Amino acid sequence: MKKKILLIDPPFQKFMGFSKAGIPLGLLFLAGKLKKMGHEVEVLDSDYNPKGNPYPFMTKIGHYDEYLNSLNNGSHSIWESISSQIEESKPDVVGVSFISTKLRSGLRVAQIAKEMGVKRIVAGGPHVTIRPSDVIKEGSPVDYAIVGEAEEQMEVFDGTPKTRIIRANRIQNLDLLPWMARESLIGIENYKPSDLGFMMTSRGCPGSCNFCCSEKLWGKRVRFRNISDVIAEMDDTNRRYGTQKFYLTDDTFTLNKKRVLEFTKGIRDKGYEWGCLTRVDRLNEVILKQMVESGCCMIKLGIESGSQKVLDLMNKRTNLDQARNAAKLLNSFSVPWMAYVMVGVPGETSIDADATMRFIDEIKPTYVSAAIYTPYIGTGFYKNSIDFSRVSFLKDREGRDHAIEEANHHSLKVIAGDVSREKIIEFMEFADKYNLVSKKG
Ligand code: B12
Ligand code: SF4
């Protein structure tokens, strides 16, 4: 029977006044599938905040309390707008997406829906995939949780599943999935065309970096979408929403060189701009030349650290010379690129953090994206290296005990690793200053 389904991405950055780029891709994939089955689907991105600040890193620090305080403030306008949307949509089922940072916010959304009489609340997303027991437990408003890629487990929306936690199989043929149903986004007219250009063209990454949970989410065997289907979706998005700029969120877009060349050949004459994420050992001159000539205008690279010791601790399986070579290549093509770096991983010291800052000055990325390391569940570090006897580290100055997965970099009160607090501040300020100078130049 046809159902009314409201899928909600819970608020997080918006509570702190920040903006967030893009669209909730997972929910829009699900909406595509549900619509194809005949259901009526809407997607509410309650973190969308076009008027928010794209933050400098130091600004982020210290704002985390605003999120925590808002969680307990039932009359906050963001919660009220979610209630109003539920009231207006009158859904039979509400689906909530969880990443670890938004665990408490997602549970609050589920609670609001439950209290408003929604019959079925379903949860999914990266955090639920890794630890479903956080949403399926006594007293939780969540009725069912899907572990993994949910597109082939639609029974939770319109059937009677036998268990409350349902383990989904990995989707083997991504080309059989309907495109993301962007048209289901509530308020789509307010989105920038480039936000609607976020896409994922493959699932999985062969890497096993200790700070990352990709392997748990998608597995190591990478599944690729057909390039002609990817380009057809880009053309459709361009036609419908005027999108000229696309951002491919694949974990490592340049894994398969032949496929990258097929892609660049296919879009070369369309006049689109595009960006992607990749690893330092997955770039060479041949593909980069084609990428740039086909409109690639942003490459985000996992540099992570300027200390080989830390790269090894991370199991990054790259070395500093590979990073130097990739940087040299990118700079020689004058393509804008961003270096992702982090500070405070288990085993790292202030000397290593200094090495990273020096390394950035040496390799000269266009932008730096800096993060204070966070021990997310489902990662190698969380499993092996976090010394839980030091979990008191994660208590803030007022003694409140933050859940480890919420030990978020938005608050400097929570730090893992052996880098001094002063060095962490210096590191984040360094990134801000670097970007400021880079933008001026
Ligand atoms: C693009 C991206 C972003 C974009 C967000 C775009 C947007 N508007 O949402 C930006 C750059 C803003 C971003 C920021 C952050 N991100 Co991010 N991001 C990604 C990335 C690279 C791709 C996401 C994507 O395209 N997913 C594609 C869809 C298909 O996957 P999905 O959402 O997981 O959905 C599937 C299933 O999970 C499930 N599902 C999802 N929701 C639901 C709901 C229901 C009801 C059901 C049944 C099923 C279900 O079904 C879907 C289809 O199969 C992932 C890495 C990755 N490969 O997943 C990291 C990732 C999601 N990010 C992560 C993190 C940590 C963050 C930050 C906290 C980083 C930071 N420290 O600031 C912030 C938080 C931002 C926020 N939302 O508040 C982590 C989350 C880890 C975790 N344990 O939760 C990931 C997994 C990276 C990693 N490997 O560690 N991110
Ligand atoms: S950090 Fe990047 S390369 Fe490493 S496992 Fe995660 S997605 Fe793969």
Side-chain angles (χ1 to χ4, degrees):
M1 206 177 64
K2 184 173 153 181
K3 299 271 184 198
K4 282 185 92 173
I5 299 167
L6 177 62
L7 302 174
I8 304 179
D9 199 18
F12 175 55
Q13 315 259 26
K14 196 172 178 176
F15 283 124
M16 300 177 273
F18 300 131
S19 65
K20 178 201 67 168
I23 44 179
L25 292 104
L27 293 181
L28 293 171
F29 267 106
L30 296 188
K33 181 79 189 200
L34 287 162
K35 278 185 70 174
K36 201 170 173 200
M37 292 164 66
H39 299 300
E40 202 180 302
V41 195
E42 290 177 300
V43 176
L44 175 63
D45 180 358
S46 55
D47 218 13
Y48 186 62
N49 188 19
K51 295 199 186 100
N53 300 314
Y55 37 61
F57 298 110
M58 276 310 288
T59 316
K60 283 207 260 186
I61 290 164
H63 280 261
Y64 191 51
D65 272 353
E66 292 166 26
Y67 164 68
L68 293 178
N69 293 338
S70 311
L71 284 173
N72 301 320
N73 174 6
S75 55
H76 195 292
S77 59
I78 295 179
W79 300 127
E80 284 182 350
S81 69
I82 293 172
S83 309
S84 308
Q85 189 59 55
I86 295 174
E87 181 67 41
E88 192 183 323
S89 301
K90 299 195 175 28
D92 303 304
V93 185
V94 160
V96 185
S97 189
F98 288 81
I99 60 169
S100 297
T101 30
K102 301 188 191 186
L103 175 61
R104 292 192 234 186
S105 174
L107 284 170
R108 170 123 211 166
V109 170
Q111 187 66 39
I112 292 173
K114 196 79 186 176
E115 283 168 8
M116 291 179 73
V118 175
K119 295 246 166 44
R120 184 174 289 192
I121 319 280
V122 180
H127 188 88
V128 173
T129 292
I130 297 165
R131 201 164 60 195
S133 58
D134 281 344
V135 297
I136 297 290
K137 57 184 180 188
E138 217 182 302
S140 168
V142 174
D143 299 303
Y144 294 104
I146 296 211
V147 169
E149 299 169 42
E151 289 95 335
E152 285 176 3
Q153 294 295 334
M154 296 288 107
E155 206 194 355
V156 279
F157 291 100
D158 60 3
T160 321
K162 290 191 190 68
T163 54
R164 288 181 69 196
I165 296 178
I166 296 131
R167 290 179 196 275
N169 295 326
R170 294 225 156 87
I171 312 283
Q172 297 307 328
N173 185 351
L174 298 180
D175 292 323
L176 297 180
L177 296 179
W179 292 341
M180 288 190 292
R182 291 176 174 80
E183 67 281 5
S184 299
L185 261 180
I186 294 171
I188 190 166
E189 60 287 354
N190 302 322
Y191 281 73
K192 283 194 285 193
S194 57
D195 280 329
L196 299 167
F198 273 54
M199 293 174 70
M200 203 185 199
T201 82
S202 64
R203 293 183 180 183
C205 174
S208 305
C209 304
N210 273 330
F211 56 83
C212 175
C213 60
S214 175
E215 188 178 343
K216 272 262 172 7
L217 301 179
W218 308 105
K220 283 171 95 72
R221 196 179 73 78
V222 187
R223 293 147 291 145
F224 296 100
R225 281 177 64 187
N226 205 306
I227 287 299
S228 56
D229 191 53
V230 171
I231 296 178
E233 185 179 342
M234 290 169 91
D235 288 342
D236 183 67
T237 310
N238 170 265
R239 208 167 29 247
R240 289 211 221 180
Y241 310 110
T243 302
Q244 292 279 356
K245 201 168 183 170
F246 294 87
Y247 180 58
L248 311 177
T249 67
D250 307 40
D251 280 337
T252 310
F253 180 68
T254 61
L255 262 185
N256 180 326
K257 308 239 160 31
K258 209 170 135 223
R259 181 172 179 268
V260 175
L261 293 178
E262 191 187 340
F263 176 75
T264 54
K265 193 170 164 214
I267 61 158
R268 175 186 282 272
D269 300 324
K270 293 186 185 280
Y272 299 150
E273 290 188 305
W274 61 282
C276 66
L277 292 154
T278 194
R279 288 171 56 98
V280 298
D281 56 351
R282 294 291 177 163
L283 274 180
N284 65 33
E285 194 171 345
V286 175
I287 61 164
L288 189 59
K289 183 167 186 293
Q290 300 305 321
M291 286 165 74
V292 174
E293 284 178 10
S294 71
C296 182
C297 63
M298 175 53 76
I299 297 178
K300 299 190 176 180
L301 266 189
I303 297 290
E304 324 297 5
S305 175
S307 154
Q308 188 62 48
K309 179 194 99 185
V310 174
L311 287 178
D312 294 344
L313 283 168
M314 290 171 169
N315 194 31
K316 188 75 200 175
R317 296 201 204 123
T318 57
N319 61 49
L320 293 176
D321 279 340
Q322 286 171 317
R324 283 189 183 98
N325 290 339
K328 219 191 257 168
L329 198 59
L330 288 159
N331 290 337
S332 74
F333 277 95
S334 301
V335 56
W337 67 284
M338 180 183 276
Y340 279 115
V341 287
M342 64 181 91
V343 64
V345 305
E348 182 177 5
T349 64
S350 295
I351 295 171
D352 298 311
D354 279 332
T356 305
M357 290 185 268
R358 278 199 309 275
F359 195 61
I360 288 298
D361 279 333
E362 178 195 333
I363 63 174
K364 296 185 177 43
T366 323
Y367 303 105
V368 177
S369 176
I372 300 173
Y373 166 74
T374 305
Y376 288 111
I377 54 164
T379 63
F381 274 140
Y382 185 89
K383 203 169 65 193
N384 304 321
S385 312
I386 299 291
D387 175 359
F388 285 92
S389 66
R390 289 177 60 197
V391 163
S392 59
F393 238 99
L394 300 172
K395 284 190 194 301
D396 65 21
R397 267 178 301 188
E398 289 77 46
R400 283 172 311 197
D401 197 0
H402 292 294
I404 194 164
E405 62 274 8
E406 281 200 356
N408 187 277
H409 70 260
H410 292 280
S411 166
L412 246 194
K413 293 170 189 161
V414 285
I415 294 168
D418 294 315
V419 182
S420 72
R421 194 184 166 83
E422 292 68 33
K423 189 58 72 183
I424 291 198
I425 294 176
E426 186 188 329
F427 190 94
M428 301 310 270
E429 282 177 345
F430 165 85
D432 282 338
K433 275 191 218 131
Y434 186 95
N435 289 334
L436 209 65
V437 173
S438 172
K439 268 178 209 151
K440 276 192 193 140

